[in-house]
Amino acid sequence: MTDQEMPLNPLQQAAAVDLESIPNQIGYAVLNATDGSIVRPISGSLSMDDVMTLHKMLLEMGDILYTDKNGDQELLKRVKVDVGDAGYNMCISKNGFIYIVKKQLIS
């Protein structure tokens, strides 16, 4: 099996997601859903304070960061928070990563 045929590990999968191509995005980060650690560096105008606040908000919502009892499906589909002229979109993947994208709101 060549390197190109080898399946990606979860960290490689998180790095392979093209967050730069999302329209109007002005920053992004990828966190480990289990402990909130940064898996992919924070970019753009998204700050560490933003990321930690959003992660705390997700934790306060309860068990949405976990999969259902069969492990078939995530309980969190998407959470969007608009603050001023920015919107924060968050979702979780089955491999246990939280994707946060900060977008410029267009009025």
Side-chain angles (χ1 to χ4, degrees):
M1 194 180 285
T2 67
D3 287 341
Q4 292 178 343
E5 296 170 345
M6 299 278 295
L8 299 176
N9 69 42
L11 287 176
Q12 291 169 323
Q13 291 172 6
V17 175
D18 184 13
L19 300 173
E20 292 91 3
S21 67
I22 296 172
N24 302 320
Q25 74 85 8
I26 54 175
Y28 60 81
V30 180
L31 311 178
N32 183 316
T34 306
D35 61 7
S37 61
I38 305 295
V39 173
R40 188 166 167 184
I42 298 170
S43 76
S45 67
L46 186 64
S47 70
M48 179 62 93
D49 286 341
D50 293 339
V51 170
M52 293 297 102
T53 300
L54 294 166
H55 184 253
K56 285 178 188 175
M57 288 173 59
L58 293 173
L59 291 175
E60 288 295 321
M61 291 180 194
D63 291 336
I64 63 173
L65 293 182
Y66 304 101
T67 58
D68 65 8
K69 291 183 182 180
N70 298 326
D72 295 332
Q73 157 179 359
E74 306 91 25
L75 299 175
L76 170 66
K77 295 298 183 194
R78 182 181 320 154
V79 172
K80 182 177 180 196
V81 177
D82 292 341
V83 180
D85 61 350
Y88 300 89
N89 296 282
M90 299 165 278
C91 65
I92 190 168
S93 66
K94 283 191 177 192
N95 58 5
F97 297 112
I98 300 170
Y99 294 86
I100 299 175
V101 176
K102 183 178 181 180
K103 295 178 75 171
Q104 182 72 45
L105 297 178
I106 306 296
S107 50

